[in-house]
Amino acid sequence: MCSQRLNSHRAPLYEAMVAHHKMNPVSLHVPGHKSGQGLMEEGERFLKTVMSIDYTEITGLDDLHHAEGVIKEAEELAAECFGAEETHFLIGGSTVGNMAMIAAVCDRNDVMLVQRNVHKSVIHGLMLAGVRAVFIAPEMHPETGVATSVPLESVRQALEQYPEARALFVTNPNYYGMGVDLKPYADLLHAQGKLLLVDEAHGAHYGFHPEVPASALSQGADAVVQSTHKMLTAMTMGAMLHVQGPLIDREAVRQLLAMLQSSSPSYPIMASLDLARKRMHTEGKAWLEQGIAVVNEFRRQLDKLQRFDYQPRGCQNDTNKGQDNTTDPFKIAISDQTYTLTGMELKDRLEDQGIFVEMTDGRQVLLVFTPATSRADMLRVIDVLHNICLEEPLEKKELQRPISNILKLPYYAQISSPIAFDMRDISQARKADAACSTVSVQEAIGYRSADMVIPYPPGIPYLYPGEVISASTAEALWQLAASGIKFQGTQFGQTHKLKIYT
């Protein structure tokens, strides 16, 4: 645990960078822009300030990969703040943390239990480590059709079927802020000497206020990744990996992060992590209180606009009540109750007025509020929605056929057999590209996918390389493409064709 000598009101790395800047130093080291002096004129307005403290591993500023000074102190403060025994700054987002967690726990051909609807970075981590994944299908939210968490009973059954499994990897919360109480999962796994790894990318604010869910660390997770840039104030790509307990190999984690992260880490990103931690350490509860007040007012204003529905309706996360399911009050998915505007059309209407949302599915648009969202911005969204209501009054609308939520996952087996992920297999398959064909989605049914097919956002793969394409998967992908959803890892979004092994 962190030493009591630490001062939560300090931001040691940021303060050291500011002190160095005040020296007006001559930079005879990288980076080449020399504190922004090499910028062209058009870059000065927005880039010069941050580039003036874009430093490298010089005297006094420590080294991320061998931290002994201000970075070490900043990471210790972060561990103290977020409830970890050890915390690592990540300058490659939660992606690099997910990969490091998996590789630190599993050797090649080890079995890991994995929630089916994980982020693509988890799949990439499985590939790099050569892990055999047993996928557990998530439950579906009854009102929205969105995939949520894996049932505890399914985890229990998977452990009985595959007692050699090293760990369970889950995403909690999901993109929509839906989650589950993780303590029963941690207790179940720890009773058998197995680890709980959590992608808590969207939950860096968890545990700091009674109206947000408890953090994964407080519920017993062994290793947790948080995207500090998503819900707190770090710069994009700023994230943290937290570890605790005797089951995780901490030296392996350190070595893997040194391998997976850049040897020239971004000091502005690390400084923003330091400052994001300081805010939560010193005023986290009050700051969240302010943000929750804004989002609660947004809900009250939405209630007056009969045309629009939203989820979740209520956010009850009192940890003393022992509730199984949790919701993030800062995530709100809104939809048109008249079924006139699809999620994509509603997104377009909002963007026409300068309001950009996180993502859309076939039925809803997802709005991500944070404590930094101003009341003025919130009211601006309400004004646009109100104007849409005035243009097409609800009482004059004839209800049309409901628009299905097409982002729900296709049917998958509740517990899969072990699926081998190995970069060597993918490399060999790529060399044997002549054994592949590109066919229509209907013709692909029954064949094995040669691509990873990823609707983005939210970045959850629908197909993995080598996975058999079912009729339900083909139908779901067709609907996604027809609605204009973008894809990664494939040309399917443009061609409506899938690459298969023949």
Side-chain angles (χ1 to χ4, degrees):
M1 295 295 292
C2 297
S3 169
Q4 293 301 311
R5 65 180 174 79
L6 299 177
N7 180 355
S8 63
H9 289 268
R10 288 201 62 209
L13 175 58
Y14 175 75
E15 290 167 9
M17 291 165 64
V18 171
H20 184 81
H21 178 73
K22 288 180 178 178
M23 292 170 56
N24 192 26
V26 175
S27 170
L28 296 180
H29 53 78
V30 298
H33 57 72
K34 303 302 181 185
S35 298
Q37 295 178 101
L39 282 171
M40 295 180 69
E41 184 177 346
E42 58 262 40
E44 289 190 357
R45 179 180 177 188
F46 294 109
L47 292 178
K48 189 163 187 176
T49 299
V50 69
M51 291 175 83
S52 69
I53 56 167
D54 183 21
Y55 296 131
T56 188
E57 296 90 342
I58 53 178
T59 301
L61 297 188
D62 210 355
D63 181 347
L64 177 65
H65 299 299
H66 190 71
E68 298 176 309
V70 288
I71 294 178
K72 181 176 185 289
E73 184 179 354
E75 290 181 327
E76 288 177 346
L77 280 163
E80 183 178 81
C81 175
F82 291 97
E85 292 176 359
E86 189 172 332
T87 291
H88 301 276
F89 283 180
L90 307 178
I91 44 84
S94 286
T95 291
V96 71
N98 284 336
M99 292 178 177
M101 282 196 296
I102 292 168
V105 169
C106 290
D107 294 324
R108 189 167 298 280
N109 293 321
D110 278 348
V111 172
M112 177 179 284
L113 308 183
V114 181
Q115 181 174 329
R116 169 76 206 200
N117 54 322
V118 289
H119 190 263
K120 62 179 180 176
S121 61
V122 177
I123 306 305
H124 293 154
L126 297 173
M127 291 176 176
L128 289 173
V131 173
R132 292 186 298 146
V134 171
F135 287 110
I136 303 177
E139 294 182 309
M140 307 300 289
H141 189 272
E143 296 178 11
T144 64
V146 171
T148 57
S149 304
V150 294
L152 181 62
E153 186 54 36
S154 294
V155 176
R156 196 186 313 276
Q157 292 174 11
L159 288 170
E160 291 174 357
Q161 292 180 41
Y162 302 100
E164 70 274 27
R166 299 293 304 276
L168 169 68
F169 195 109
V170 298
T171 300
N172 198 74
N174 69 6
Y175 225 86
Y176 291 82
M178 301 170 184
V180 69
D181 176 9
L182 290 172
K183 189 175 188 306
Y185 296 76
D187 291 344
L188 172 64
L189 291 156
H190 291 165
Q192 301 184 37
K194 304 181 189 304
L195 295 91
L196 175 60
L197 310 180
V198 182
D199 179 350
E200 198 177 39
H202 290 263
H205 58 308
Y206 277 20
F208 287 91
H209 191 281
E211 290 188 44
V212 300
S215 70
L217 283 168
S218 70
Q219 295 178 311
D222 300 276
V224 178
V225 165
Q226 295 176 336
S227 288
T228 321
H229 69 93
K230 281 185 166 66
M231 297 301 296
L232 302 183
T233 58
M235 291 175 65
T236 296
M237 295 178 67
M240 297 186 191
L241 171 57
H242 308 290
V243 297
Q244 66 179 357
L247 298 178
I248 188 81
D249 185 340
R250 304 201 191 172
E251 184 57 34
V253 170
R254 296 185 200 106
Q255 290 178 351
L256 284 158
L257 288 177
M259 293 167 59
L260 294 169
Q261 298 209 92
S262 171
S263 59
S264 300
S266 166
Y267 271 77
I269 290 177
M270 289 192 290
S272 74
L273 287 170
D274 199 13
L275 290 172
R277 185 278 315 158
K278 178 182 176 181
R279 168 152 244 168
M280 299 309 293
H281 219 159
T282 59
E283 54 183 75
K285 183 177 180 180
W287 192 53
L288 286 177
E289 185 87 38
Q290 167 190 308
I292 289 169
V294 170
V295 80
N296 284 343
E297 183 179 354
F298 181 75
R299 285 190 173 86
R300 291 193 296 270
Q301 295 286 351
L302 268 182
D303 286 334
K304 300 175 185 178
L305 305 179
Q306 297 181 26
R307 175 170 181 166
F308 295 102
D309 192 16
Y310 64 91
Q311 295 290 340
R313 275 286 172 181
C315 297
Q316 298 178 351
N317 293 302
D318 189 337
T319 54
N320 294 322
K321 295 180 181 178
Q323 294 175 320
D324 292 332
N325 297 315
T326 63
T327 52
D328 183 352
F330 290 98
K331 301 287 185 72
I332 300 181
I334 63 173
S335 57
D336 181 359
Q337 287 198 92
T338 71
Y339 303 107
T340 302
L341 297 176
T342 66
M344 186 64 72
E345 289 167 340
L346 181 54
K347 169 181 175 287
D348 290 342
R349 295 290 295 273
L350 289 166
E351 287 187 355
D352 286 344
Q353 301 302 315
I355 295 167
F356 294 84
V357 302
E358 175 70 11
M359 62 170 283
T360 179
D361 55 34
R363 180 78 177 88
Q364 310 170 106
V365 293
L366 177 63
L367 312 183
V368 177
F369 290 78
T370 76
T373 305
S374 69
R375 184 172 182 269
D377 282 349
M378 178 272 292
L379 292 175
R380 185 175 165 189
V381 180
I382 289 294
D383 284 344
V384 173
L385 295 174
H386 177 68
N387 289 336
I388 293 175
C389 293
L390 292 178
E391 293 169 11
E392 301 175 88
L394 180 65
E395 59 271 18
K396 295 183 180 179
K397 295 293 297 181
E398 180 180 349
L399 292 182
Q400 302 182 17
R401 182 181 179 184
I403 305 163
S404 64
N405 177 10
I406 55 179
L407 254 186
K408 62 184 179 183
L409 291 174
Y411 171 77
Y412 297 112
Q414 189 61 38
I415 300 172
S416 77
S417 57
I419 299 173
F421 286 90
D422 197 321
M423 288 298 296
R424 295 176 300 184
D425 294 340
I426 294 172
S427 177
Q428 291 170 2
R430 191 176 295 116
K431 293 176 183 176
D433 199 52
C436 298
S437 295
T438 301
V439 299
S440 70
V441 66
Q442 291 84 5
E443 294 174 301
I445 295 172
Y447 287 92
R448 292 182 301 122
S449 175
D451 283 330
M452 187 183 297
V453 182
I454 310 166
Y456 197 88
I460 297 169
Y462 269 41
L463 282 172
Y464 304 131
E467 184 172 14
V468 175
I469 301 165
S470 67
S472 65
T473 301
E475 175 63 20
L477 290 173
W478 175 261
Q479 291 185 17
L480 284 168
S483 73
I485 298 294
K486 296 180 180 179
F487 288 80
Q488 292 184 343
T490 176
Q491 294 298 313
F492 175 71
Q494 292 78 35
T495 65
H496 292 193
K497 292 185 177 182
L498 292 171
K499 190 175 182 181
I500 61 170
Y501 293 123
T502 55

